[in-house]
Amino acid sequence: MIKITLPDNSVREYESGVTGMDIAKSISHNLAKEVLSVSVNGETWDLTRPIKEDVSIKLYTWDDDEGKHAFWHSSSHLMAEALQELYPGVKFGIGPAIESGFYYDIDLGEDRVLTEADLSKIEAKMLELARAKSTYAREDISKEKALNFFNAKNEVYKTELISELTDGTITLYKHGNFTDLCKGPHLPGTEYIKSVKVTSLAGAYWRGDEKRKQLTRVYGISFPKQKLLEEYLMVLEEAKKRDHRKLGKELELFMFSSKVGMGLPIWLPKGAKLRERLENFLKKVQMKYGYEQVISPHIGQKELYVTSGHFEKYGKDSFQPITTPQEGEEFLLKPMNCPHHCEIYKFKPRSYRDLPIRLAEFGTVYRYEQSGELHGLTRVRGFTQDDAHIFCRPDQLKEEFIKVIDIVLYIFKTLSFKDYVAQISLRDPNNTTKYIGSDENWEKSERAIIEAAAEKGLKTTQVIGEAAFYGPKLDFMVKDAIGRKWQLGTIQVDYNLPERFNLEYIGSDDKPHRPVMIHRAPFGSMERFVAVLIEHTSGKFPLWLTPEQCVILPISEKFNDYAKKVLNFLNNYDIRSLIDERNEKIGRKIRDNELKRIPYLLIVGEKEAENNTIAVRKQGEGDKGVMTLQEFATFLTEEVRKETELLTNTEEP
RNA sequence: GCCGAUGUAGCUCAGUUGGUCAGAGCAGCUGAUUUGUAAUCAGCUGGUCGGGGGUUCGAAUCCCUCUAUCGGCUCCA
C-alpha cells in the first residue's frame, strides 16, 4: 500500500500502481468524469500512469490551466493524426498547447498548401477520430530506438529534436495511428474531445529561426462540451467590438492614411485632446517627482547614434540617413531620445549636488518596423514616448528606480489597469554579441532592478534574453482585448550610455565620476497606451479623460436657445460639452449619443427651460432625474475631482 | 521581410458557375415633421468594384503583378 496526500492534506491509502483516475473514482463519480490530468509531487501526469510510491497529488479539471493544457495538448495530437490521414507524407514539427488552444507545425512538402477551405475538413476528421475512442498510451524507449523509429518515417524535424535531447530515454505517446515524440501528459482517450474548431493558418519558421524553413502552423481550440466552444466564440466576438482599431475609427480618435504612410498614426481632434490630457496628467505627476521637461529635435546627426551604439545595432534596419544636399551630412530620424538627453546632460558641468537630474520629454521617435509587424496603434513606425532619463549617482540608483516604479503603479491605479505582469528582462549571458558593455555593469544593473522590484514587493517574472542591448529592463505588460500582451511601462538601468557619452559629475572629492542612467516611460508610448486604454474601457473613458463629457439634447428646435444657455453655463465650469442640434426625435438623439459613449446626456425641453434645469441621463445607465444647472455643474466637477483626486493629492515623493 | 487570407459608396455588407451586377442599409444633402428618454417619414447625391497589366466578343467575378489591410511567424532600441 502507498500513501496518497490530497490537497487538503488528507491521506488515503491505495495499492501501489494506482492511477490518478482510480483515485478520482474513489473520491467521487463526478470528479472522475471531470478530471483531466493529475499533479504528482508537482509534476503533471497522465491520469492513467501508475503511481508506485507515497506522493502528494492534485487532480486537475477543465477549471485548472493544467487540465486545459492536457486537453489541448491531446487535441494537437488528434489534429496531427487527422492531418496525417488527410495529407499522407506530411512531416510534423512541434504541436504544443498554448494559452487558448493548440497548434501543430507541419511541412506539407513542396507543392501542397493548406487554405482556409481545408480547416473544416480537418475539424470533421478530428471529430471522426475522436469518436474512435483511441487511448493515449505512453511509452519510454531508448534514444536510439526513437531515432530509428522516426528516421524510418522520414520525420526529419522529430529526429532533429531527439538528437538534441540528452535524456537516456525518450518518451513517446501513441493513439490511434499516430505516434509522437512527447513528454505528455495526455488525456486518457480521444473521446474526451467533443468539440473542435480549427481556427487559423499561419507560417511559422522551424524552431523560430527565420533562416530556416517556414512550416505551416495550424491553430485550433477544443472543448469538452459544444456549449463551451460557442461561449468561446461569443467572447471572441465581444472582444472584437473592443478592438481599438475599430473604436478609434468609430469614435474619431485616430486614423491612418496609406498616402501618409503605413504605420504612421494620425491623431484626430478628439484623440489629440484625449492624448493631451494624458500628457498633462503625467507632466503634473512628474513635476511632483522632480522631473524637468525638455524638448529635442526629431533628427540627430548619425554620429550621435554611432556613439550610443544604436547605429551599429539597428542602423541597417532603420529608416536610412537623410543627407544635406550641400555638405552631405547624415542625419537619422531619432529612434530614441536618450542620446539627445545625454547631450543635454553635457550642456554644463554637473556637481554631485545636482543629481539626480531628471529630464523628461514627450519625444516622438521613428523606427522602421517590418511591414508585417504593424498593428493599429500598438505597433507603429512613428510614436511618442513619454520618455525621461534620470542621471544619478550610483548610491541614488535604487531609490530613484523605486520612485519610478511608484509612478508606473500610480498611473496604472489611476487608470484602473489591474491586470498587468511585471517582467524583469535580463540579458542572455550566452549571446553576448547582442549586448554592449562590461559584464560588471550588467551584473550591477540587473541586481539593481531585481532588488528594487523586490523592495517594492512587486510580483515579477524574469525572462532571459529580453533585455535592451544597453541594459536590463523592468517592463509592465498588459493584455489587449483578444489577449495579446503588450509592453507598456518600462524602466531600464543603464551604465553603458554614460560611459559611451563620457558623462561625468564632480563628486564631493572634487574628482570626476560616472553617473548611472535610468531610462523610463510609464505609458511606454502614447499610441500604445491609448490603444490598450481604448480596449480596456471599450471607449468608455473616465470622465476626466473623455473627449466630450456631456451632450445637450434639445427636445425640439424650439429649445436650441436654452441649450446654448446650458452650454455656456457648463463651459464656465470647464465642462466639455456640445449640443446635438439635429432635427431628430429625442429617442434618436439619445441612441446616437449613447453609441458615441458620451458620459452624460442632458435633455432640455419646455419644463427644463422654464425651471433652469436639465434632465440628466448617464451613459449606459439611463435616466437620472432632473437637476438644476448649478447642481449638475457641482456634481460633475465633484465626479471629476474624485477621479483625479489621486492626481492632485499624491503623497509627496 | 516570410506564410495564409482579404480589399465593392464615408461606414457595414449583398453581388450563384464571367453576360442590364454596379446594389442595400446606415451616414450625408434637401424637404416635411417640432418631437419627452436607445433608430420620424419622403426624395436625392454618392463607387473607373484597391492600382496596373493580361485572358475573353464580354471581367467586380479568371490569371499575373503592385499596394494596403487582417491572422500568425520573425523582429521590437
Side-chain angles (χ1 to χ4, degrees):
Chain A
M1 297 297 272
I2 54 170
K3 287 193 174 73
I4 303 290
T5 310
L6 299 173
D8 63 357
N9 281 327
S10 64
V11 179
R12 293 177 175 230
E13 292 212 338
Y14 293 93
E15 299 271 347
S16 177
V18 69
T19 66
M21 183 52 97
D22 295 334
I23 297 168
K25 278 180 182 159
S26 75
I27 295 172
S28 97
H29 179 66
N30 276 343
L31 183 60
K33 272 188 0 197
E34 285 180 9
V35 67
L36 298 172
S37 64
V38 56
S39 155
V40 176
N41 285 345
E43 201 183 337
T44 317
W45 279 27
D46 307 320
L47 285 175
T48 51
R49 187 165 164 191
I51 300 166
K52 291 179 178 158
E53 54 195 85
D54 294 357
V55 292
S56 300
I57 69 152
K58 180 173 182 349
L59 295 163
Y60 292 125
T61 67
W62 184 256
D63 295 329
D64 303 294
D65 287 343
E66 291 86 349
K68 285 196 184 81
H69 197 273
F71 194 92
W72 285 331
H73 195 173
S74 295
S75 303
S76 93
H77 280 223
L78 180 67
M79 183 167 75
E81 188 189 12
L83 291 164
Q84 185 178 262
E85 299 249 319
L86 291 168
Y87 312 99
V90 57
K91 294 190 186 73
F92 292 96
I94 56 166
I98 52 177
E99 208 166 308
S100 40
F102 56 88
Y103 66 79
Y104 221 114
D105 284 346
I106 56 170
D107 180 355
L108 287 153
E110 286 313 307
D111 43 0
R112 275 191 300 193
V113 274
L114 284 185
T115 68
E116 267 156 43
D118 297 309
L119 301 187
S120 53
K121 280 186 228 161
I122 300 170
E123 273 166 30
K125 181 56 93 178
M126 283 175 74
L127 288 172
E128 179 194 323
L129 293 169
R131 283 192 287 267
K133 297 191 181 183
S134 314
T135 53
Y136 289 92
R138 179 189 168 91
E139 188 187 357
D140 288 323
I141 61 170
S142 71
K143 189 168 167 178
E144 196 189 339
K145 268 187 159 175
L147 277 174
N148 288 339
F149 175 79
F150 285 106
N151 258 328
K153 296 169 67 165
N154 200 21
E155 286 280 12
V156 291
Y157 304 104
K158 295 295 179 191
T159 53
E160 180 180 328
L161 292 173
I162 294 169
S163 59
E164 286 174 21
L165 289 174
T166 49
D167 320 25
T169 58
I170 302 293
T171 310
L172 302 183
Y173 273 85
K174 181 173 190 305
H175 79 274
N177 287 317
F178 182 74
T179 304
D180 204 351
L181 165 71
C182 183
K183 274 195 294 207
H186 283 282
L187 300 172
T190 58
E191 71 278 10
Y192 281 63
I193 302 163
K194 303 280 192 217
S195 175
V196 169
K197 179 90 187 159
V198 180
T199 47
S200 66
L201 295 168
Y205 300 109
W206 172 234
R207 313 200 83 176
D209 184 344
E210 63 180 328
K211 291 182 188 68
R212 305 199 63 180
K213 180 158 184 170
Q214 192 161 51
L215 306 180
T216 304
R217 177 167 297 178
V218 189
Y219 282 92
I221 191 162
S222 58
F223 297 91
K225 284 178 195 152
Q226 178 66 19
K227 204 177 137 215
L228 289 171
L229 171 63
E230 284 159 18
E231 278 170 16
Y232 169 77
L233 294 175
M234 282 271 283
V235 169
L236 273 191
E237 281 299 304
E238 286 304 307
K240 268 192 200 157
K241 291 182 190 160
R242 299 206 309 274
D243 191 317
H244 76 278
R245 291 166 299 185
K246 180 180 152 68
L247 286 173
K249 201 188 282 182
E250 281 175 13
L251 301 178
E252 298 185 1
L253 298 170
F254 61 88
M255 61 171 276
F256 288 91
S257 153
S258 56
K259 297 261 167 57
V260 172
M262 60 159 95
L264 299 170
I266 298 166
W267 294 79
L268 296 168
K270 287 180 193 176
K273 273 197 267 178
L274 178 103
R275 167 173 156 174
E276 196 177 34
R277 229 162 265 125
L278 276 172
E279 290 182 355
N280 289 340
F281 157 52
L282 183 57
K283 273 187 196 165
K284 217 184 266 179
V285 175
Q286 288 180 167
M287 209 146 65
K288 283 190 193 286
Y289 278 83
Y291 287 70
E292 299 170 288
Q293 291 292 134
V294 294
I295 298 170
S296 66
H298 285 223
I299 62 173
Q301 291 248 39
K302 181 177 133 187
E303 219 34 51
L304 188 65
Y305 299 100
V306 172
T307 302
S308 70
H310 288 97
F311 187 77
E312 194 198 338
K313 181 81 183 151
Y314 294 104
K316 277 195 225 78
D317 301 313
S318 288
F319 287 116
Q320 292 306 291
I322 359 174
T323 53
T324 56
Q326 303 291 331
E327 305 85 347
E329 290 173 301
E330 291 187 293
F331 291 85
L332 288 176
L333 277 169
K334 80 173 164 189
M336 283 288 271
N337 301 300
C338 34
H340 289 74
H341 290 185
C342 286
E343 288 302 309
I344 295 173
Y345 180 89
K346 288 170 84 171
F347 169 65
K348 61 179 184 182
R350 307 290 182 174
S351 147
Y352 71 99
R353 299 177 202 272
D354 299 333
L355 302 183
I357 290 171
R358 310 179 186 91
L359 302 178
E361 173 172 15
F362 287 95
T364 305
V365 296
Y366 298 90
R367 297 176 183 176
Y368 171 80
E369 303 284 3
Q370 299 185 105
S371 59
E373 268 314 324
L374 301 174
H375 181 91
L377 283 186
T378 50
R379 194 77 188 270
V380 287
R381 285 178 171 174
F383 57 96
T384 302
Q385 295 178 313
D386 55 326
D387 211 358
H389 295 93
I390 298 167
F391 302 87
C392 64
R393 304 191 305 259
D395 63 289
Q396 296 169 318
L397 176 63
K398 195 192 281 179
E399 188 189 346
E400 283 303 309
F401 197 93
I402 285 174
K403 280 192 211 165
V404 179
I405 296 179
D406 285 337
I407 294 179
V408 175
L409 294 182
Y410 168 61
I411 284 169
F412 278 26
K413 189 177 157 199
T414 307
L415 289 157
S416 313
F417 280 36
K418 294 182 194 91
D419 204 12
Y420 59 84
V421 175
Q423 174 182 308
I424 297 178
S425 302
L426 305 170
R427 75 171 169 164
D428 177 359
N430 299 320
N431 191 357
T432 46
T433 53
K434 269 177 78 174
Y435 312 98
I436 59 169
S438 65
D439 287 349
E440 192 202 339
N441 280 347
W442 273 90
E443 277 152 29
K444 276 198 280 183
S445 308
E446 296 189 344
R447 210 179 317 125
I449 290 190
I450 292 167
E451 283 177 17
E455 207 155 304
K456 281 306 292 179
L458 215 55
K459 253 200 240 158
T460 56
T461 56
Q462 292 192 8
V463 185
I464 306 288
E466 287 293 302
F469 75 93
Y470 50 74
K473 312 188 282 178
L474 173 62
D475 290 332
F476 292 82
M477 322 285 287
V478 176
K479 282 185 189 172
D480 69 9
I482 59 170
R484 277 184 287 225
K485 270 190 209 144
W486 299 98
Q487 173 208 307
L488 294 182
T490 178
I491 318 173
Q492 310 170 2
V493 174
D494 183 2
Y495 283 88
N496 290 314
L497 286 193
E499 235 166 72
R500 290 181 155 251
F501 278 91
N502 201 22
L503 305 184
E504 290 181 344
Y505 65 90
I506 303 301
S508 55
D509 57 0
D510 197 27
K511 293 200 173 86
H513 296 270
R514 187 78 74 210
V516 193
M517 248 172 112
I518 298 173
H519 308 241
R520 42 108 285 170
F523 291 144
S525 86
M526 300 315 294
E527 286 74 8
R528 183 176 288 178
F529 192 83
V530 168
V532 175
L533 187 64
I534 291 170
E535 306 209 348
H536 278 220
T537 59
S538 62
K540 295 168 193 161
F541 302 110
L543 209 49
W544 70 275
L545 258 186
T546 197
E548 284 137 355
Q549 294 171 315
C550 33
V551 55
I552 303 156
L553 312 181
I555 292 286
S556 82
E557 284 174 358
K558 284 194 280 192
F559 309 107
N560 282 359
D561 286 344
Y562 179 62
K564 281 186 191 113
K565 196 179 145 195
V566 175
L567 184 75
N568 286 335
F569 187 90
L570 297 177
N571 280 346
N572 287 335
Y573 284 85
D574 287 329
I575 293 169
R576 302 186 289 279
S577 35
L578 72 160
I579 305 175
D580 186 345
E581 283 189 307
R582 293 175 307 159
N583 181 4
E584 293 290 351
K585 287 178 141 175
I586 197 65
R588 179 56 180 276
K589 291 189 186 181
I590 287 168
R591 180 186 154 79
D592 288 349
N593 287 291
E594 285 274 348
L595 292 175
K596 281 160 83 179
R597 295 169 174 65
I598 298 179
Y600 287 96
L601 313 189
L602 311 178
I603 294 154
V604 294
E606 194 172 358
K607 283 178 279 181
E608 288 78 15
E610 271 172 23
N611 303 317
N612 249 3
T613 56
I614 46 180
V616 179
R617 223 188 122 94
K618 191 168 181 191
Q619 206 274 342
E621 294 181 19
D623 199 348
K624 291 282 165 190
V626 175
M627 294 172 100
T628 66
L629 294 185
Q630 186 59 57
E631 276 168 353
F632 180 71
T634 308
F635 162 76
L636 203 78
T637 308
E638 175 61 15
E639 288 294 296
V640 172
R641 193 194 66 75
K642 271 193 247 161
E643 276 181 5
T644 53
E645 193 166 35
L646 289 157
L647 279 64
T648 45
N649 293 341
T650 46
E651 286 170 33
E652 284 307 312

